[in-house]
Every structure is written in structure tokens, then in C-alpha cells.
Amino acid sequence: MAMTKRFRTTPKPRLVLRRGNETLLMLRRFNSGYADGQHSVMAGNFDGIKAECEACARETQEESERVIDPPALDVFYIAHRMADAGRISFFFTTEKW
């Protein structure tokens, strides 16, 4: 019997910082080699070791120098982006930062 090739994806944590009904922080991408000059919420990659919330907190600190406590993060949206190599984006939010 032939082995079935399994679908693989690249999960991406993304963070929207909020205060009340306002979105507070977006970054202008530069020197990344991807979508430079465009604005984006903080985003990164899972390293395959840490839980999703921990990966999101790590990426936030790397990109913005803001320290986020992983338990303070809530997932509010998940997007399976088929047109973008099947990536899955996990959108987190927090008002505690």
C-alpha cells in the first residue's frame, strides 16, 4: 500500500493589543524580506517546542519589547489561509500589557 502524503502547515501566532474598543499597536514591516513597508499586527512563527500562547508572547517581546504574560492571551480568530501555502494563523488578543 502506498504511503499517503500528509498535509503540513505552518502555524503563525499573531497578536492584536487592545484597550477597550481600540486596537493600539501595529508594526510597519521592514528588513524582513516579506511585505516590507506594509503594516501588520505582531506576528511570528511557532518553534514547535512552546505552546501557542508562549510563542506569541515570545514573538511580541522580540518585535516590540513588550512583555506579555502568556495566560493573559486569548485566541479570538483562527484563519486557514489556503492561498498562502495553507498557513494557519492564530490571532491572539490581550488588554494586559
Side-chain angles (χ1 to χ4, degrees):
M1 181 187 312
M3 294 288 290
T4 301
K5 185 175 180 181
R6 299 212 178 251
F7 173 76
R8 294 191 181 267
T9 187
T10 304
K12 301 282 194 177
R14 301 187 181 283
L15 178 65
V16 176
L17 292 177
R18 300 187 60 89
R19 184 169 294 141
N21 291 329
E22 297 178 317
T23 300
L24 295 177
L25 183 63
M26 294 186 78
L27 301 175
R28 184 174 172 271
R29 300 182 60 88
F30 67 97
N31 293 330
S32 69
Y34 177 78
D36 288 336
Q38 296 182 13
H39 288 83
S40 174
V41 296
M42 286 172 277
N45 296 296
F46 291 117
D47 60 12
I49 299 170
K50 297 188 183 330
E52 291 85 355
C53 289
E54 292 170 338
C56 187
R58 183 199 69 232
E59 289 292 339
T60 299
Q61 188 168 1
E62 288 176 5
E63 292 190 12
S64 71
E65 298 181 359
R66 284 168 173 72
V67 177
I68 304 290
D69 187 25
L73 294 168
D74 294 309
V75 174
F76 73 93
Y77 188 73
I78 299 172
H80 188 188
R81 299 167 21 220
M82 295 300 292
D84 190 15
R87 289 186 171 91
I88 297 177
S89 293
F90 292 83
F91 289 83
F92 293 88
T93 190
T94 187
E95 290 192 16
K96 298 176 184 176
W97 52 280

Coordinates of all heavy atoms in Angstrom, one line a residue:
M1 N 0.8 -1.2 0.0 CA 0.0 0.0 0.0 C 0.9 1.2 0.0 O 1.9 1.3 0.7 CB -0.9 0.0 1.2 CG -1.8 1.2 1.3 SD -2.8 1.4 2.8 CE -3.5 -0.1 3.1
A2 N 0.6 2.2 -0.8 CA 1.3 3.5 -0.9 C 1.1 4.4 0.3 O 0.0 4.4 0.8 CB 1.0 4.2 -2.2
M3 N 2.1 5.0 0.7 CA 2.0 6.0 1.8 C 1.3 7.2 1.3 O 1.6 7.7 0.3 CB 3.4 6.4 2.3 CG 4.1 5.2 3.0 SD 3.5 4.8 4.6 CE 3.9 6.2 5.5
T4 N 0.4 7.7 2.1 CA -0.4 8.9 1.8 C 0.5 10.1 2.3 O 0.9 10.1 3.4 CB -1.7 8.9 2.5 OG1 -2.5 7.8 2.0 CG2 -2.5 10.2 2.1
K5 N 0.7 11.1 1.4 CA 1.4 12.3 1.9 C 0.5 13.1 2.7 O -0.6 13.5 2.3 CB 1.9 13.1 0.7 CG 2.8 14.2 1.1 CD 3.4 14.9 -0.1 CE 4.2 16.1 0.3 NZ 4.8 16.8 -0.8
R6 N 0.9 13.4 3.9 CA 0.0 14.1 4.8 C 0.2 15.6 4.6 O 1.3 16.1 4.3 CB 0.4 13.8 6.3 CG 0.1 12.4 6.6 CD -0.3 12.2 8.0 NE -0.5 10.8 8.3 CZ -1.7 10.3 8.5 NH1 -2.8 11.1 8.5 NH2 -1.9 9.1 8.8
F7 N -0.9 16.3 4.8 CA -0.9 17.8 4.7 C 0.0 18.4 5.9 O -0.1 17.9 7.0 CB -2.3 18.3 4.8 CG -2.4 19.8 4.9 CD1 -2.2 20.6 3.8 CD2 -2.6 20.4 6.1 CE1 -2.3 22.0 3.8 CE2 -2.7 21.8 6.2 CZ -2.5 22.6 5.0
R8 N 0.8 19.3 5.6 CA 1.6 20.0 6.6 C 1.3 21.5 6.4 O 1.1 22.0 5.3 CB 3.1 19.7 6.4 CG 3.4 18.3 6.7 CD 4.9 18.1 6.8 NE 5.3 16.7 7.0 CZ 5.4 16.2 8.2 NH1 5.3 16.9 9.3 NH2 5.7 14.9 8.3
T9 N 1.4 22.2 7.5 CA 1.1 23.6 7.5 C 2.1 24.4 8.4 O 2.9 23.7 9.1 CB -0.3 23.9 8.0 OG1 -0.6 25.3 7.8 CG2 -0.5 23.6 9.4
T10 N 2.1 25.6 8.2 CA 3.0 26.5 9.1 C 2.1 27.3 9.9 O 1.4 28.3 9.4 CB 3.8 27.4 8.2 OG1 4.6 26.6 7.3 CG2 4.8 28.3 9.0
P11 N 2.0 27.1 11.2 CA 1.2 27.9 12.1 C 1.9 29.2 12.4 O 3.1 29.3 12.6 CB 1.1 27.0 13.4 CG 2.2 26.1 13.4 CD 2.6 25.9 11.9
K12 N 1.1 30.3 12.5 CA 1.7 31.6 12.7 C 0.9 32.3 13.9 O -0.3 32.5 13.8 CB 1.5 32.5 11.5 CG 2.2 32.0 10.3 CD 3.6 32.3 10.3 CE 4.3 32.1 9.0 NZ 5.7 32.4 9.1
P13 N 1.6 32.6 15.0 CA 0.9 33.4 16.0 C 0.9 34.9 15.6 O 1.8 35.4 15.1 CB 1.8 33.2 17.2 CG 3.2 33.0 16.7 CD 3.0 32.3 15.4
R14 N -0.2 35.6 15.9 CA -0.4 37.0 15.6 C -1.0 37.6 16.8 O -1.9 37.0 17.5 CB -1.2 37.2 14.4 CG -0.7 36.5 13.2 CD -1.4 36.9 11.9 NE -0.8 36.2 10.8 CZ 0.3 36.6 10.1 NH1 1.0 37.6 10.6 NH2 0.7 35.9 9.1
L15 N -0.7 38.9 17.1 CA -1.2 39.5 18.4 C -1.8 40.9 18.0 O -1.2 41.7 17.4 CB -0.1 39.7 19.4 CG -0.5 40.4 20.7 CD1 -1.6 39.5 21.4 CD2 0.7 40.7 21.6
V16 N -3.0 41.1 18.6 CA -3.6 42.4 18.5 C -3.7 42.9 19.9 O -4.4 42.3 20.7 CB -5.0 42.3 17.8 CG1 -5.8 43.6 17.9 CG2 -4.9 41.7 16.4
L17 N -3.0 44.0 20.2 CA -3.1 44.6 21.5 C -4.3 45.6 21.5 O -4.5 46.3 20.6 CB -1.8 45.4 21.8 CG -0.6 44.6 22.0 CD1 0.6 45.5 22.3 CD2 -0.7 43.6 23.2
R18 N -5.1 45.5 22.6 CA -6.3 46.3 22.6 C -6.4 47.0 24.0 O -5.9 46.5 24.9 CB -7.5 45.4 22.4 CG -7.5 44.7 21.1 CD -8.8 43.9 20.8 NE -9.9 44.8 20.8 CZ -10.4 45.4 19.7 NH1 -9.8 45.2 18.6 NH2 -11.5 46.1 19.8
R19 N -7.2 48.1 23.9 CA -7.6 48.8 25.1 C -9.0 49.2 24.9 O -9.2 50.1 24.0 CB -6.7 50.0 25.4 CG -7.0 50.6 26.7 CD -6.0 51.7 27.2 NE -4.8 51.0 27.5 CZ -3.5 51.4 27.3 NH1 -3.4 52.6 26.6 NH2 -2.5 50.8 27.6
G20 N -9.9 48.6 25.5 CA -11.3 48.9 25.2 C -11.7 48.4 23.8 O -11.4 47.3 23.4
N21 N -12.2 49.3 23.0 CA -12.6 49.0 21.6 C -11.5 49.5 20.7 O -11.7 49.5 19.5 CB -13.9 49.7 21.3 CG -15.1 49.1 22.0 OD1 -15.0 47.9 22.3 ND2 -16.1 49.9 22.3
E22 N -10.3 49.9 21.1 CA -9.3 50.4 20.3 C -8.2 49.4 20.0 O -7.8 48.7 21.0 CB -8.6 51.7 20.8 CG -9.6 52.8 21.0 CD -8.9 54.0 21.6 OE1 -8.2 53.8 22.6 OE2 -9.2 55.1 21.1
T23 N -7.7 49.2 18.8 CA -6.5 48.5 18.5 C -5.4 49.4 18.6 O -5.3 50.5 18.0 CB -6.6 47.9 17.1 OG1 -7.7 47.0 17.0 CG2 -5.3 47.1 16.7
L24 N -4.4 49.1 19.5 CA -3.4 50.0 19.8 C -2.1 49.9 19.1 O -1.4 50.9 18.9 CB -3.1 49.9 21.3 CG -4.2 50.3 22.2 CD1 -3.8 50.1 23.6 CD2 -4.6 51.7 22.0
L25 N -1.7 48.7 18.7 CA -0.3 48.6 18.1 C -0.3 47.8 16.9 O -0.8 46.7 16.8 CB 0.6 48.0 19.2 CG 2.1 47.9 18.7 CD1 2.7 49.3 18.5 CD2 2.9 47.1 19.8
M26 N 0.2 48.4 15.8 CA 0.5 47.7 14.6 C 2.0 48.1 14.2 O 2.4 49.2 14.6 CB -0.4 48.1 13.5 CG -1.9 47.6 13.7 SD -2.9 47.9 12.4 CE -2.5 46.6 11.3
L27 N 2.6 47.2 13.6 CA 4.0 47.5 13.2 C 4.1 47.7 11.7 O 3.4 47.1 10.9 CB 4.9 46.3 13.6 CG 4.9 45.9 15.1 CD1 5.7 44.7 15.3 CD2 5.5 47.1 15.9
R28 N 5.1 48.6 11.3 CA 5.4 48.7 9.9 C 6.6 47.8 9.6 O 7.6 47.9 10.2 CB 5.8 50.2 9.6 CG 6.1 50.4 8.1 CD 6.3 51.8 7.8 NE 6.7 52.0 6.5 CZ 8.0 52.0 6.1 NH1 9.0 51.7 6.9 NH2 8.3 52.1 4.8
R29 N 6.3 46.8 8.7 CA 7.3 45.8 8.4 C 8.5 46.5 7.7 O 8.3 47.3 6.8 CB 6.7 44.7 7.5 CG 5.6 44.0 8.2 CD 5.0 42.9 7.3 NE 6.1 41.9 7.1 CZ 6.3 40.9 7.9 NH1 5.6 40.7 8.9 NH2 7.3 40.0 7.5
F30 N 9.7 46.0 8.0 CA 10.9 46.5 7.3 C 12.0 45.5 7.5 O 12.1 44.8 8.6 CB 11.4 47.9 7.8 CG 11.9 48.0 9.2 CD1 13.2 47.9 9.5 CD2 11.0 48.1 10.2 CE1 13.7 48.0 10.8 CE2 11.4 48.1 11.5 CZ 12.8 48.1 11.8
N31 N 12.9 45.3 6.5 CA 14.0 44.4 6.6 C 13.7 43.0 6.9 O 14.4 42.3 7.5 CB 15.1 44.9 7.6 CG 15.7 46.2 7.1 OD1 15.8 46.5 5.9 ND2 16.1 47.0 8.1
S32 N 12.5 42.6 6.5 CA 12.0 41.2 6.8 C 12.1 40.3 5.5 O 12.1 39.1 5.6 CB 10.6 41.2 7.3 OG 9.7 41.5 6.4
G33 N 12.1 41.0 4.4 CA 12.0 40.3 3.1 C 10.6 39.8 2.7 O 10.5 39.2 1.7
Y34 N 9.7 40.1 3.5 CA 8.3 39.8 3.2 C 7.4 41.0 3.6 O 7.3 41.4 4.7 CB 7.8 38.6 4.1 CG 6.4 38.2 3.8 CD1 6.0 37.5 2.7 CD2 5.4 38.6 4.8 CE1 4.7 37.2 2.5 CE2 4.1 38.2 4.5 CZ 3.7 37.5 3.4 OH 2.4 37.2 3.2
A35 N 6.7 41.5 2.6 CA 5.7 42.6 2.7 C 6.3 43.8 3.4 O 5.6 44.5 4.2 CB 4.5 42.1 3.5
D36 N 7.6 44.1 3.1 CA 8.2 45.3 3.7 C 7.5 46.5 3.3 O 7.0 46.7 2.2 CB 9.7 45.4 3.3 CG 10.6 44.3 3.9 OD1 10.2 43.8 5.0 OD2 11.6 44.0 3.4
G37 N 7.3 47.5 4.3 CA 6.6 48.7 4.0 C 5.1 48.6 4.4 O 4.5 49.6 4.5
Q38 N 4.6 47.4 4.6 CA 3.2 47.3 4.9 C 3.0 47.2 6.4 O 4.0 46.9 7.2 CB 2.6 46.0 4.3 CG 2.6 46.0 2.8 CD 2.0 44.7 2.3 OE1 1.4 43.9 3.0 NE2 2.2 44.5 1.0
H39 N 1.8 47.6 6.9 CA 1.6 47.5 8.3 C 1.0 46.1 8.7 O 0.2 45.5 7.9 CB 0.6 48.6 8.7 CG 1.2 49.9 8.7 ND1 1.4 50.7 7.6 CD2 1.8 50.7 9.7 CE1 2.0 51.8 7.9 NE2 2.3 51.8 9.2
S40 N 1.3 45.7 9.9 CA 0.8 44.4 10.3 C 0.7 44.3 11.8 O 1.4 45.1 12.5 CB 1.8 43.3 9.8 OG 1.5 42.0 10.3
V41 N -0.1 43.4 12.3 CA -0.1 43.1 13.7 C 1.2 42.4 14.0 O 1.9 41.9 13.1 CB -1.3 42.3 14.2 CG1 -2.6 43.1 14.0 CG2 -1.4 41.0 13.5
M42 N 1.6 42.2 15.2 CA 2.8 41.5 15.5 C 2.6 40.0 15.2 O 1.5 39.5 15.4 CB 3.2 41.6 17.0 CG 3.7 43.0 17.3 SD 3.9 43.3 19.1 CE 2.3 43.8 19.5
A43 N 3.6 39.4 14.5 CA 3.4 38.1 14.1 C 4.8 37.4 14.1 O 5.8 38.0 14.1 CB 2.9 38.1 12.6
G44 N 4.7 36.1 14.1 CA 6.0 35.3 14.1 C 5.7 33.9 13.7 O 4.8 33.5 13.0
N45 N 6.6 33.0 14.3 CA 6.5 31.6 14.0 C 6.5 30.8 15.3 O 7.1 31.2 16.3 CB 7.7 31.1 13.1 CG 7.7 31.8 11.8 OD1 6.9 31.5 11.0 ND2 8.7 32.6 11.6
F46 N 5.8 29.7 15.2 CA 5.9 28.7 16.3 C 7.2 28.0 16.2 O 7.6 27.7 15.1 CB 4.8 27.7 16.3 CG 3.4 28.3 16.6 CD1 2.4 28.3 15.7 CD2 3.2 28.9 17.9 CE1 1.2 28.8 16.0 CE2 1.9 29.4 18.2 CZ 0.9 29.4 17.2
D47 N 7.9 27.7 17.3 CA 9.1 27.0 17.2 C 9.0 25.5 17.4 O 9.9 24.7 17.3 CB 10.2 27.5 18.2 CG 9.7 27.4 19.7 OD1 8.7 26.7 19.9 OD2 10.3 28.0 20.5
G48 N 7.7 25.0 17.6 CA 7.5 23.6 17.7 C 7.7 23.1 19.1 O 7.5 21.9 19.4
I49 N 8.2 23.9 20.0 CA 8.5 23.5 21.4 C 7.5 24.1 22.3 O 7.0 23.4 23.2 CB 10.0 23.8 21.7 CG1 10.9 23.1 20.8 CG2 10.2 23.5 23.2 CD1 12.4 23.6 20.9
K50 N 7.3 25.4 22.2 CA 6.5 26.1 23.2 C 5.0 26.0 22.8 O 4.7 25.9 21.6 CB 6.9 27.6 23.3 CG 8.3 27.8 23.8 CD 8.6 29.2 24.0 CE 10.0 29.6 24.4 NZ 10.7 28.7 25.2
A51 N 4.1 26.2 23.7 CA 2.7 26.3 23.5 C 2.4 27.6 22.7 O 3.2 28.5 22.7 CB 1.9 26.3 24.8
E52 N 1.3 27.6 22.0 CA 0.9 28.7 21.2 C 1.0 30.1 21.9 O 1.6 31.1 21.4 CB -0.5 28.6 20.6 CG -0.6 27.4 19.6 CD -0.8 26.1 20.2 OE1 -0.8 26.0 21.5 OE2 -1.1 25.1 19.5
C53 N 0.5 30.2 23.1 CA 0.5 31.4 23.9 C 1.9 31.8 24.2 O 2.2 33.0 24.1 CB -0.3 31.3 25.1 SG -2.1 31.2 24.9
E54 N 2.8 30.9 24.5 CA 4.1 31.2 24.8 C 4.9 31.7 23.6 O 5.7 32.6 23.7 CB 4.9 30.0 25.4 CG 4.4 29.6 26.8 CD 4.9 28.3 27.3 OE1 5.3 27.4 26.4 OE2 4.9 28.1 28.5
A55 N 4.6 31.1 22.5 CA 5.2 31.5 21.2 C 4.8 32.9 20.9 O 5.6 33.8 20.4 CB 4.9 30.6 20.1
C56 N 3.5 33.2 21.1 CA 3.0 34.6 20.8 C 3.7 35.6 21.7 O 4.1 36.7 21.2 CB 1.5 34.6 20.9 SG 0.7 36.1 20.4
A57 N 3.8 35.3 23.0 CA 4.4 36.2 23.9 C 5.9 36.4 23.6 O 6.4 37.6 23.6 CB 4.3 35.7 25.3
R58 N 6.6 35.4 23.2 CA 8.0 35.5 22.8 C 8.1 36.4 21.6 O 9.0 37.3 21.5 CB 8.6 34.1 22.5 CG 10.1 34.2 22.1 CD 10.6 32.9 21.4 NE 10.0 32.9 20.1 CZ 9.3 31.9 19.5 NH1 9.2 30.8 20.2 NH2 8.8 32.0 18.3
E59 N 7.3 36.2 20.5 CA 7.4 37.0 19.3 C 7.1 38.5 19.6 O 7.7 39.4 19.1 CB 6.4 36.5 18.3 CG 6.9 35.1 17.7 CD 8.1 35.3 16.8 OE1 8.5 36.4 16.3 OE2 8.8 34.2 16.6
T60 N 6.1 38.7 20.5 CA 5.7 40.1 20.9 C 6.9 40.8 21.5 O 7.2 41.9 21.2 CB 4.5 40.1 21.8 OG1 3.4 39.5 21.2 CG2 4.2 41.5 22.3
Q61 N 7.6 40.1 22.4 CA 8.8 40.7 23.1 C 9.9 40.9 22.1 O 10.5 42.0 22.1 CB 9.3 39.8 24.2 CG 10.3 40.5 25.0 CD 10.6 39.7 26.3 OE1 10.1 38.7 26.6 NE2 11.5 40.3 27.1
E62 N 10.1 40.0 21.1 CA 11.1 40.2 20.1 C 10.9 41.4 19.2 O 11.8 42.1 18.9 CB 11.3 38.9 19.3 CG 12.0 37.8 20.0 CD 12.0 36.5 19.2 OE1 11.6 36.5 18.0 OE2 12.4 35.5 19.7
E63 N 9.6 41.5 18.8 CA 9.2 42.6 17.8 C 8.9 43.9 18.4 O 9.1 44.9 17.8 CB 8.0 42.1 17.0 CG 8.4 40.9 16.1 CD 7.3 40.6 15.1 OE1 6.3 41.5 15.0 OE2 7.3 39.6 14.5
S64 N 8.5 44.0 19.7 CA 8.0 45.3 20.2 C 8.6 45.6 21.6 O 8.4 46.7 22.1 CB 6.5 45.3 20.4 OG 6.1 44.4 21.4
E65 N 9.4 44.7 22.2 CA 10.0 44.8 23.5 C 8.9 44.9 24.6 O 9.2 45.4 25.7 CB 10.9 46.0 23.6 CG 12.1 45.8 22.6 CD 13.1 47.0 22.7 OE1 12.8 48.0 23.4 OE2 14.1 46.9 22.0
R66 N 7.7 44.5 24.3 CA 6.6 44.5 25.3 C 6.5 43.1 25.9 O 6.5 42.1 25.1 CB 5.3 44.9 24.7 CG 5.2 46.4 24.5 CD 4.0 46.8 23.6 NE 3.9 48.2 23.5 CZ 4.7 49.0 22.9 NH1 5.7 48.6 22.3 NH2 4.4 50.3 22.9
V67 N 6.4 43.0 27.2 CA 6.3 41.7 27.9 C 4.9 41.4 28.1 O 4.1 42.1 28.7 CB 7.1 41.7 29.2 CG1 7.0 40.4 29.9 CG2 8.6 42.0 28.9
I68 N 4.5 40.2 27.6 CA 3.1 39.7 27.7 C 3.1 38.4 28.5 O 3.9 37.5 28.3 CB 2.5 39.4 26.3 CG1 2.5 40.7 25.4 CG2 1.0 38.9 26.5 CD1 1.6 41.8 25.8
D69 N 2.2 38.3 29.5 CA 2.1 37.1 30.3 C 1.3 36.1 29.4 O 0.1 36.4 29.1 CB 1.4 37.4 31.6 CG 1.4 36.2 32.5 OD1 2.3 35.3 32.4 OD2 0.5 36.2 33.4
P70 N 1.8 35.0 29.0 CA 1.0 34.0 28.2 C -0.4 33.7 28.6 O -1.3 33.7 27.8 CB 1.9 32.8 28.1 CG 3.3 33.3 28.3 CD 3.2 34.4 29.3
P71 N -0.7 33.5 30.0 CA -2.0 33.3 30.3 C -3.0 34.4 30.1 O -4.2 34.2 30.1 CB -1.9 33.0 31.8 CG -0.6 32.5 32.0 CD 0.3 33.3 31.1
A72 N -2.5 35.6 29.8 CA -3.3 36.8 29.6 C -3.8 36.8 28.1 O -4.6 37.7 27.8 CB -2.6 38.1 29.9
L73 N -3.3 35.9 27.3 CA -3.7 35.9 25.9 C -4.9 35.1 25.6 O -5.1 34.0 26.2 CB -2.5 35.4 25.0 CG -1.2 36.2 25.0 CD1 -0.1 35.4 24.5 CD2 -1.5 37.5 24.3
D74 N -5.8 35.6 24.7 CA -7.0 34.9 24.3 C -7.0 34.7 22.8 O -6.7 35.7 22.1 CB -8.2 35.6 24.7 CG -8.4 35.7 26.2 OD1 -8.3 34.7 26.9 OD2 -8.6 36.8 26.7
V75 N -7.3 33.5 22.3 CA -7.5 33.3 20.9 C -8.8 33.9 20.5 O -9.8 33.6 21.1 CB -7.4 31.9 20.5 CG1 -7.7 31.7 19.0 CG2 -6.0 31.3 20.8
F76 N -8.8 34.8 19.5 CA -10.1 35.3 19.1 C -10.5 35.0 17.6 O -11.6 35.2 17.2 CB -10.3 36.8 19.3 CG -9.4 37.7 18.4 CD1 -10.0 38.2 17.2 CD2 -8.1 38.0 18.7 CE1 -9.3 39.0 16.4 CE2 -7.4 38.8 17.8 CZ -8.0 39.3 16.7
Y77 N -9.5 34.4 16.9 CA -9.7 34.1 15.5 C -8.7 33.1 15.0 O -7.5 33.3 15.4 CB -9.7 35.4 14.6 CG -10.2 35.2 13.2 CD1 -11.5 35.0 12.9 CD2 -9.3 35.2 12.2 CE1 -11.9 34.8 11.6 CE2 -9.7 35.0 10.8 CZ -11.0 34.9 10.6 OH -11.4 34.7 9.3
I78 N -9.1 32.2 14.2 CA -8.1 31.3 13.5 C -8.4 31.3 12.0 O -9.6 31.2 11.6 CB -8.3 29.8 14.0 CG1 -8.0 29.8 15.5 CG2 -7.3 28.9 13.3 CD1 -8.2 28.5 16.2
A79 N -7.4 31.5 11.2 CA -7.6 31.6 9.8 C -6.7 30.6 9.1 O -5.5 30.5 9.3 CB -7.2 33.0 9.3
H80 N -7.3 29.7 8.3 CA -6.6 28.8 7.4 C -6.5 29.4 6.1 O -7.5 29.5 5.3 CB -7.4 27.4 7.4 CG -6.6 26.4 6.7 ND1 -7.2 25.2 6.4 CD2 -5.3 26.3 6.3 CE1 -6.3 24.4 5.8 NE2 -5.1 25.1 5.7
R81 N -5.3 29.9 5.8 CA -5.1 30.7 4.6 C -4.6 29.7 3.4 O -3.4 29.6 3.2 CB -4.1 31.8 4.9 CG -4.6 32.7 5.9 CD -3.7 33.6 6.6 NE -2.5 33.9 5.9 CZ -1.3 34.0 6.5 NH1 -1.2 33.8 7.8 NH2 -0.2 34.3 5.7
M82 N -5.6 29.2 2.7 CA -5.3 28.2 1.6 C -4.4 28.8 0.5 O -3.6 28.2 -0.1 CB -6.5 27.6 1.1 CG -7.3 26.8 2.1 SD -6.4 25.4 2.7 CE -6.3 24.4 1.2
A83 N -4.7 30.1 0.2 CA -3.9 30.8 -0.9 C -2.5 31.1 -0.5 O -1.7 31.5 -1.3 CB -4.7 32.0 -1.3
D84 N -2.2 31.0 0.8 CA -0.9 31.3 1.3 C -0.2 30.0 1.8 O 0.2 29.9 3.0 CB -1.0 32.4 2.4 CG 0.4 32.9 2.8 OD1 1.4 32.7 2.1 OD2 0.5 33.6 3.9
A85 N 0.0 29.0 1.0 CA 0.6 27.8 1.3 C -0.1 27.0 2.5 O 0.6 26.2 3.1 CB 2.1 28.0 1.6
G86 N -1.3 27.3 2.7 CA -2.1 26.5 3.7 C -1.7 26.9 5.1 O -1.9 26.2 6.0
R87 N -1.1 28.1 5.3 CA -0.8 28.5 6.6 C -2.0 28.7 7.5 O -3.1 29.1 7.0 CB 0.0 29.8 6.6 CG 1.4 29.7 6.0 CD 2.2 31.0 6.1 NE 3.6 30.7 5.8 CZ 4.1 30.8 4.5 NH1 3.3 31.2 3.6 NH2 5.4 30.6 4.3
I88 N -1.8 28.5 8.8 CA -2.9 28.7 9.8 C -2.4 29.8 10.7 O -1.4 29.7 11.4 CB -3.2 27.4 10.5 CG1 -3.8 26.4 9.6 CG2 -4.2 27.7 11.6 CD1 -4.1 25.0 10.2
S89 N -3.1 30.9 10.8 CA -2.8 32.0 11.7 C -3.7 31.9 12.9 O -4.9 31.8 12.8 CB -3.0 33.3 11.0 OG -2.1 33.5 9.9
F90 N -3.1 32.0 14.1 CA -3.8 32.1 15.3 C -3.7 33.5 15.8 O -2.6 34.0 16.1 CB -3.1 31.1 16.4 CG -3.3 29.7 16.0 CD1 -2.4 29.1 15.1 CD2 -4.3 28.9 16.6 CE1 -2.5 27.7 14.8 CE2 -4.4 27.6 16.3 CZ -3.6 27.0 15.4
F91 N -4.9 34.2 15.9 CA -4.9 35.6 16.3 C -5.2 35.6 17.8 O -6.3 35.2 18.2 CB -6.0 36.4 15.5 CG -5.5 36.6 14.1 CD1 -5.7 35.6 13.1 CD2 -4.9 37.8 13.7 CE1 -5.4 35.8 11.8 CE2 -4.6 38.0 12.4 CZ -4.8 37.0 11.4
F92 N -4.3 36.2 18.5 CA -4.5 36.4 20.0 C -4.8 37.9 20.2 O -4.4 38.7 19.5 CB -3.2 36.0 20.7 CG -2.9 34.5 20.6 CD1 -2.1 34.1 19.6 CD2 -3.3 33.7 21.6 CE1 -1.8 32.7 19.5 CE2 -3.0 32.3 21.5 CZ -2.2 31.9 20.5
T93 N -5.4 38.1 21.4 CA -5.6 39.5 21.9 C -5.4 39.5 23.4 O -5.5 38.5 24.1 CB -7.0 40.0 21.5 OG1 -7.0 41.4 21.8 CG2 -8.1 39.3 22.2
T94 N -5.0 40.7 23.9 CA -4.9 40.9 25.3 C -5.1 42.4 25.6 O -4.8 43.2 24.7 CB -3.6 40.4 25.9 OG1 -3.6 40.5 27.3 CG2 -2.4 41.2 25.3
E95 N -5.6 42.7 26.7 CA -5.6 44.1 27.2 C -4.6 44.3 28.3 O -4.5 45.4 28.9 CB -7.0 44.5 27.6 CG -8.0 44.6 26.5 CD -9.3 45.2 26.9 OE1 -9.4 45.9 27.9 OE2 -10.2 45.1 26.1
K96 N -3.9 43.2 28.7 CA -2.9 43.3 29.8 C -1.5 43.3 29.2 O -1.0 42.2 28.9 CB -3.1 42.1 30.7 CG -4.5 42.1 31.4 CD -4.7 40.8 32.2 CE -6.1 40.7 32.8 NZ -6.3 39.5 33.5
W97 N -0.9 44.5 29.2 CA 0.4 44.6 28.7 C 1.1 45.8 29.2 O 0.4 46.7 29.7 CB 0.5 44.6 27.1 CG -0.4 45.6 26.5 CD1 -1.8 45.4 26.3 CD2 -0.1 46.9 26.0 NE1 -2.3 46.5 25.7 CE2 -1.3 47.4 25.5 CE3 1.1 47.6 25.9 CZ2 -1.3 48.7 24.9 CZ3 1.0 48.8 25.3 CH2 -0.1 49.4 24.8

